[in-house]
Amino acid sequence: RRPSSYSEVGVLQEIRQNCLEGLQAQGICLPQVFLLSAFDLSKYDFHLLGETLERELSHHKRHAFLMALPNISLHILEKKKVAMLEHMWLVSTVACGVHAVPIPGLLISCDVDVLARTLQGYCKGFGLDDDSLEKLAAQMGQPVEQMKAVIKSPLAKEISNILVVQLLIQAGSEAPKLANEVLSSVPLLGSLASGALSFATTYKMLRNFVNAVAADAQRVLIKAFNLDAKK
């Protein structure tokens, strides 16, 4: 309301100092204050808040927190991708566990239901579900069709058990040479020779899918925010 005397830096400093004094008055010796904008999460201290919570939360809570972060920067997308890749060996182990069933056309066994839910979770984590895309389109004032036009991998609602089997078959040709690489990084599977090919095929399929949806999420973000892909 007073553009001639308005100073964003001064207002932010005043808000931060007021918060610090209020927290200290409540007995918090070294309070941390993060300034956020509900209208533009990329501004101010949002990234610092995310990094602080990610660093200080326990492992499982940290993973859940990271997956729930809004996809507002290429940096966040890359961190999500790394977290998914690190978590992938566990998903592969569970999928090839006690509830695994033979896959027609492949010499492997796995739990297709678990894998379908996992792929749907990957899509949602990267914002490639209808709700996320519609909210982003509305926020940016763009038709949702423009967002979907740059997506090459299946959306969350398109993930089915049939699609999972198709992806497993695609990954199957590369699985034998991948088995030794994967098993060397997961020593507990070394004694499970009969499940090595199943694990390697599942792991390869998940890795291929994450790489694909991560690339799609980047394209959507670049399209929505007119970002420089190199940043």
Side-chain angles (χ1 to χ4, degrees):
R1 291 193 297 268
R2 300 182 180 87
S4 61
S5 60
Y6 173 73
S7 168
E8 182 178 58
V9 173
V11 170
L12 293 174
Q13 288 178 344
E14 183 178 350
I15 294 173
R16 189 185 302 276
Q17 186 60 35
N18 182 267
C19 291
L20 287 170
E21 292 174 356
L23 291 168
Q24 289 168 348
Q26 296 298 317
I28 301 176
C29 297
L30 297 172
Q32 296 187 72
V33 174
F34 303 90
L35 303 184
L36 310 179
S37 168
F39 302 101
D40 186 351
L41 286 177
S42 64
K43 297 180 70 174
Y44 311 133
D45 297 336
F46 181 82
H47 294 295
L48 180 59
L49 172 63
E51 291 173 0
T52 302
L53 288 174
E54 183 187 351
R55 182 175 61 251
E56 296 186 0
L57 288 172
S58 65
H59 175 72
H60 293 295
K61 289 182 179 180
R62 184 165 61 247
H63 182 82
F65 168 74
L66 184 57
M67 292 302 100
L69 277 177
N71 300 312
I72 60 171
S73 72
L74 298 177
H75 178 66
I76 288 178
L77 291 180
E78 185 60 29
K79 295 186 76 170
K80 284 190 177 186
K81 177 181 175 181
V82 170
M84 289 178 184
L85 292 174
E86 291 176 348
H87 200 248
M88 203 171 292
W89 69 269
L90 178 59
V91 176
S92 301
T93 302
V94 172
C96 298
V98 294
H99 297 296
V101 297
I103 303 300
L106 289 173
L107 299 176
I108 69 169
S109 297
C110 62
D111 189 331
V112 175
D113 288 335
V114 166
L115 294 176
R117 291 195 298 270
T118 299
L119 298 190
Q120 290 168 357
Y122 290 159
C123 285
K124 291 180 180 178
F126 278 120
L128 301 182
D129 59 285
D130 283 344
D131 286 345
S132 298
L133 290 169
E134 288 171 3
K135 287 178 181 177
L136 178 60
Q139 177 187 353
M140 304 310 298
Q142 299 180 18
V144 70
E145 290 75 17
Q146 289 187 10
M147 308 292 177
K148 293 183 177 181
V150 299
I151 299 174
K152 300 179 180 180
S153 54
L155 298 175
K157 68 175 182 179
E158 299 169 353
I159 304 297
S160 65
N161 288 11
I162 294 176
L163 176 63
V164 170
V165 172
Q166 293 174 347
L167 295 175
L168 286 169
I169 292 174
Q170 293 175 11
S173 61
E174 301 178 49
K177 61 183 179 182
L178 179 68
N180 290 335
E181 172 191 337
V182 172
L183 294 177
S184 65
S185 64
V186 188
L188 290 178
L189 294 175
S191 60
L192 305 179
S194 61
L197 185 59
S198 296
F199 180 92
T201 303
T202 301
Y203 186 91
K204 177 63 176 176
M205 184 275 287
L206 291 172
R207 192 168 70 179
N208 287 348
F209 190 83
V210 165
N211 286 334
V213 293
D216 281 337
Q218 288 186 354
R219 284 190 286 269
V220 169
L221 193 66
I222 291 169
K223 178 70 174 178
F225 291 91
N226 294 317
L227 298 177
D228 183 346
K230 297 180 180 179
K231 291 183 179 180

